[in-house]
């Protein structure tokens, strides 16, 4: 059942009804206390640090049985709704938040924050004389549809400093999203400190200049660009995300999109084809011909890199890219051709499959799982295209995900035609650097992660979905905000809530709830695209884009 319109909850919960006998609801005030029961300490700490800071209320540990917020882990909620399920019950004397597990309790606390109103999303009180915050008498019961609800941030093309990443962790949490996929390496920059190989950041984290706009643009920003995260930065990001029940998935892109690594260590490239020592970090966009050599030296190098990656990122999945790898250098390379003959492979496509399968097995031996873009399905054996346990990010459409699910592999749906947020939001001339198809807020709201071609058993392999934010034309956080919001709110509902089929979704009702949500985004300082179009300072006149006309295909 959808919630009462006055609550404006987003994503919409499974059930929201008035509390019987709840009266006018609960008033949070200076006497309100926090009853944090065993296992809820982290959520209590988060509530005091956010809601406590925004309201100016202390939320002291409870000593009375009334005027309190109760936090409790409830096995019964877990049995009904799973570990991410929760309930919130507001009556005249208490607020009781129960979680099936600690993640569910945290999502329930996020719902409480929404019920308090947009000022609860600020970092300090804007009215120091305000001592009361009203909550409606309401019972909410909720759980997510999908286990993987993610956002991919490309920090390789344009570096996003650590504070920006931490801000996005909070934004994901506010939308009940639970995966942050960091695209850490590409031709245009290497963003992760690897202590064994210091040149990856000393050289690979910096480019001399940057193409402005689409790669066909004649314009350049002549300032050097770059930056990287130290290992302690990553530990901080991962710990900060874990407190908010968000998993950080690292991406080290191989064997293509690797010019920054080759610029740092030329022996990684195809030295028998080109002068790799002459390569620098790439300054423009597109598909780069300079790919890794399929040698034992390269394999050992990236095994050593991944040893450090595994130490920093404790989650199950490691993303190894595997996309957009041109084979021209391998075709011309005597060393690559010798490797093909030595392994008895049919050609360069099988060579790439062998390369990625090597690392899939390497990760599996260490208790981790490979995930890669849908090209990792190509070139492998027909009966076993991927190592056991490998998963696919289906980006070129739904087809790769359908193939993977039918082969028994898990899938994260992220089709570019539907949920690439670098694509423009409107056909208007004022859209900054217009890329790709028009994908409006309504289009994203009607996104469906599970293709109808899949059987129920096959559909069970769809872990969920993520929206992808590629930053070739997003030079700073304000530009990332503009492309990501408000569409991330629609995406969050599409992957959390049990919605009707896309044509039957009530977008007008969602727009009504967005009115409350824009106020939350304002309080959070998000530079979102206004419904009426970009502000003057959000436009980028004169920068060439690459708009694609018409409706995107469903492929």
């Amino acid at each position: 059942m959808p919630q009462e319109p006055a609550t404006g909850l987003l994503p919409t919960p499974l059930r929201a009804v008035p509390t019987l006998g709840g009266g006018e609801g609960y008033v949070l005030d200076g006497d309100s206390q926090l009853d944090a029961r065993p296992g809820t300490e982290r959520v209590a700490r988060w509530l005091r640090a956010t809601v406590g800071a925004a309201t100016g209320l202390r939320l002291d540990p409870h000593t009375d049985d009334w005027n309190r917020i109760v936090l409790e882990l409830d096995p019964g909620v877990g049995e009904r709704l799973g570990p991410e399920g929760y309930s919130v019950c507001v009556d005249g004397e208490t607020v009781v938040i129960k979680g099936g597990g600690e993640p569910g309790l945290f999502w329930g606390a996020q719902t409480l924050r929404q019920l308090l109103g947009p000022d609860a999303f600020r970092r300090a009180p804007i009215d120091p004389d305000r001592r009361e915050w009203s909550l409606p008498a309401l019972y909410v019961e909720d759980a997510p549809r999908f286990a993987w609800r993610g956002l991919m941030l490309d920090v390789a093309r344009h570096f996003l400093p650590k504070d920006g990443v931490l801000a996005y962790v909070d934004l994901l949490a506010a939308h009940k999203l639970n995966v942050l996929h960091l695209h850490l390496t590409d031709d245009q920059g290497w963003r992760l400190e690897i202590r064994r190989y210091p040149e990856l950041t000393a050289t690979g984290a910096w480019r001399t200049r940057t193409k402005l706009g689409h790669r066909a643009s004649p314009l350049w920003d002549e300032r050097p660009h770059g930056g990287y995260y130290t290992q302690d930065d990553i530990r901080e990001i991962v710990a900060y995300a874990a407190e908010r029940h968000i998993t950080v998935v690292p991406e080290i892109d191989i064997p293509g999109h690797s010019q920054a690594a080759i610029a740092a260590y030329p022996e990684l490239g195809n030295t028998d084809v080109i002068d790799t020592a002459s390569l620098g970090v790439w300054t423009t966009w597109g598909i780069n011909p300079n790919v890794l050599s399929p040698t034992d030296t390269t394999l050992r190098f990236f095994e050593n890199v991944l040893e450090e990656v595994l130490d920093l990122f404790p989650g199950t999945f490691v993303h190894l890219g595997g996309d957009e790898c041109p084979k021209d250098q391998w075709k011309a390379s005597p060393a690559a051709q010798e490797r093909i003959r030595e392994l008895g492979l049919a050609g360069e496509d099988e060579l790439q499959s062998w390369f990625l399968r090597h690392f899939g097995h390497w990760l599996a031996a260490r208790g981790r799982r490979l995930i890669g873009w849908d090209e990792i399905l190509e070139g492998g054996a027909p009966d076993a295209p991927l190592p056991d346990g490998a998963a696919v990010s289906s980006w070129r459409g739904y087809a790769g995900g359908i193939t993977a699910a039918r082969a028994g592999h898990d899938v994260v749906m992220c089709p570019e035609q539907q949920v690439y947020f670098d694509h423009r939001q409107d056909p208007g001339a004022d859209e900054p650097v217009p890329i790709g198809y028009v994908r409006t807020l309504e289009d994203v709201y009607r996104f469906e992660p599970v293709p109808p071609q899949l059987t129920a058993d096959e559909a069970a392999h769809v872990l969920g979905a993520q929206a992808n934010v590629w930053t070739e034309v997003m030079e700073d956080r304000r530009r990332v905000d503009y492309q990501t919001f408000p569409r991330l709110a629609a995406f969050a509902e599409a992957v959390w809530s049990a919605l009707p089929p896309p044509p039957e979704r009530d977008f007008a009702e969602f727009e009504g709830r967005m009115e409350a949500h824009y106020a939350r985004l304002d309080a959070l300082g998000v530079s979102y695209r206004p419904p009426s179009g970009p502000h003057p300072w959000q436009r980028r006149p004169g920068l060439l884009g690459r708009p694609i006309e018409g409706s995107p295909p469903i492929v």
Side-chain angles (χ1 to χ4, degrees), residues 373-386:
W373 304 112
D374 54 53
E375 286 96 328
I376 69 173
L377 291 162
E378 299 170 357
D383 59 339
L386 299 176

Side-chain angles (χ1 to χ4, degrees), residues 156 181-186 189-194 200 234 249-258 261 292 301-310 312-313 317-323 355-356 359 363 370-373 376:
H181 170 177
L182 286 180
H183 181 75
L184 292 164
T185 73
D186 215 295
W190 184 285
R191 307 292 176 218
L192 175 63
E193 177 190 21
I194 301 296
L200 285 172
I234 291 295
V249 174
E251 181 180 352
I252 306 295
D253 208 340
I254 57 174
H257 288 292
S258 294
L292 298 173
F301 183 98
F302 279 92
E303 286 174 0
N304 292 334
V305 167
L306 289 172
E307 288 283 3
E308 296 191 30
V309 170
L310 297 191
L312 294 168
F313 297 91
F317 287 99
V318 176
H319 205 294
L320 293 183
D323 62 317
F355 191 99
L356 287 161
F359 287 104
L363 288 169
L370 162 70
I371 186 169
W373 304 112
I376 69 173

Side-chain angles (χ1 to χ4, degrees), residues 329-393:
Q329 290 184 359
W330 288 353
K331 290 176 181 177
S333 164
Q337 292 302 309
E338 175 58 29
R339 176 123 282 186
I340 288 171
R341 287 190 293 272
E342 166 196 320
L343 296 169
L345 303 176
E348 291 78 22
D349 286 342
E350 283 198 16
L351 182 61
Q352 176 171 331
S353 179
W354 165 82
F355 191 99
L356 287 161
R357 287 170 66 86
H358 171 89
F359 287 104
H361 293 305
W362 187 92
L363 288 169
R366 289 154 181 80
R368 305 297 185 93
R369 294 176 65 184
L370 162 70
I371 186 169
W373 304 112
D374 54 53
E375 286 96 328
I376 69 173
L377 291 162
E378 299 170 357
D383 59 339
L386 299 176
D388 290 344
V392 170
S393 299

Side-chain angles (χ1 to χ4, degrees), residues 447-472:
F447 167 60
E448 172 51 51
V450 179
Q453 299 95 316
L454 296 181
T455 67
D457 287 344
E458 292 164 349
H461 285 290
V462 179
L463 299 177
Q466 67 182 33
N468 292 343
V469 183
W470 299 102
T471 62
E472 287 93 334

Side-chain angles (χ1 to χ4, degrees), residues 388-511:
D388 290 344
V392 170
S393 299
S394 189
W395 76 274
R396 290 180 293 181
Y398 289 99
I402 292 170
T403 298
R406 287 176 172 167
H409 290 283
D410 289 338
V411 176
V412 175
M413 286 294 185
C414 47
E416 65 170 326
Q417 303 88 352
Q418 313 301 323
V419 289
Y420 266 35
F421 286 174
D422 46 315
H423 285 211
R424 58 196 171 129
Q425 302 182 65
D426 188 272
D430 287 333
E431 288 305 301
V433 202
I435 299 294
Y437 295 103
V438 173
R439 292 285 83 194
T440 65
L441 184 68
E442 182 173 359
D443 292 329
V444 176
Y445 186 65
R446 298 191 189 281
F447 167 60
E448 172 51 51
V450 179
Q453 299 95 316
L454 296 181
T455 67
D457 287 344
E458 292 164 349
H461 285 290
V462 179
L463 299 177
Q466 67 182 33
N468 292 343
V469 183
W470 299 102
T471 62
E472 287 93 334
V473 298
M474 300 178 216
E475 69 277 9
D476 55 29
R477 186 189 154 188
R478 290 212 307 178
R479 279 288 290 123
V480 174
D481 280 0
Y482 180 91
Q483 293 298 135
T484 304
F485 290 96
R487 292 184 292 185
L488 192 68
F491 173 82
E493 185 149 313
V495 296
W496 175 280
S497 303
L499 298 177
E504 301 172 22
R505 295 177 188 176
D506 189 346
F507 179 68
E509 188 274 338
F510 174 77
E511 277 191 305

Side-chain angles (χ1 to χ4, degrees), residues 270-321:
N270 295 284
T271 57
D272 53 352
V273 176
I274 62 164
D275 177 14
T276 56
S278 68
L279 296 176
V281 177
W282 211 26
T283 58
T284 189
W285 319 119
I287 299 176
N288 189 303
N290 296 303
V291 303
L292 298 173
S293 61
T295 63
D296 288 342
T297 296
T298 302
L299 297 179
R300 298 294 88 75
F301 183 98
F302 279 92
E303 286 174 0
N304 292 334
V305 167
L306 289 172
E307 288 283 3
E308 296 191 30
V309 170
L310 297 191
D311 183 57
L312 294 168
F313 297 91
T316 300
F317 287 99
V318 176
H319 205 294
L320 293 183

